[in-house]
Amino acid sequence: MRDVLDRVGDKWSVLIMAMLGTGPRRYTELRRSIDGISQRMLTLTLRSLERDGLVTRTVTPTSPPRVDYDLTAAGRTLSREVGALIDWAEQHREYIATARRTYDER
């Protein structure tokens, strides 16, 4: 179980799953939309999610090639759970920041 939780619980996987939860995205869309992710890390994370059966990769032979990513059925079920986690984080961001400041001041 730990290997699955390690994959789906890392920060880049969570953000990618959330973005793909709204529909298929091109590689370049993902890269522009995820602040702080390097091209290498995006590629590695997408490959891992594809290997785990959570994401599909479709290459359209154009010049340059178009690469789209989408969630599988299993990926969509996980995306809903990830979305709830992101919603919670957004709702409690200020609370966490305040708690950290209080703790650090002690």
Side-chain angles (χ1 to χ4, degrees):
M1 181 188 309
R2 182 183 164 130
D3 61 327
V4 174
L5 291 175
D6 284 346
R7 164 59 39 220
V8 301
D10 76 77
K11 69 179 177 178
W12 300 124
S13 293
V14 167
L15 292 172
I16 290 169
M17 296 292 295
M19 290 200 61
L20 293 176
T22 61
R25 301 285 179 126
R26 294 180 70 172
Y27 179 90
T28 53
E29 286 180 89
L30 292 169
R31 182 147 184 245
R32 280 193 306 261
S33 299
I34 301 173
D35 189 39
I37 194 167
S38 68
Q39 182 174 343
R40 180 179 185 281
M41 186 52 65
L42 177 58
T43 298
L44 289 174
T45 305
L46 285 166
R47 283 183 186 162
S48 294
L49 290 169
E50 184 180 10
R51 179 175 181 249
D52 291 344
L54 301 172
V55 168
T56 59
R57 178 178 184 262
T58 305
V59 179
T60 305
T62 59
S63 184
R66 177 184 170 130
V67 180
D68 293 285
Y69 292 89
D70 199 4
L71 295 175
T72 63
R76 282 190 291 281
T77 63
L78 178 58
S79 178
R80 285 192 290 275
E81 304 303 324
V82 165
L85 177 61
I86 288 173
D87 289 346
W88 183 92
E90 288 175 352
Q91 291 171 9
H92 293 86
R93 181 185 321 203
E94 188 56 39
Y95 170 82
I96 298 294
T98 301
R100 287 176 178 170
R101 282 191 300 275
T102 302
Y103 180 89
D104 291 346
E105 290 170 359
R106 285 192 277 175

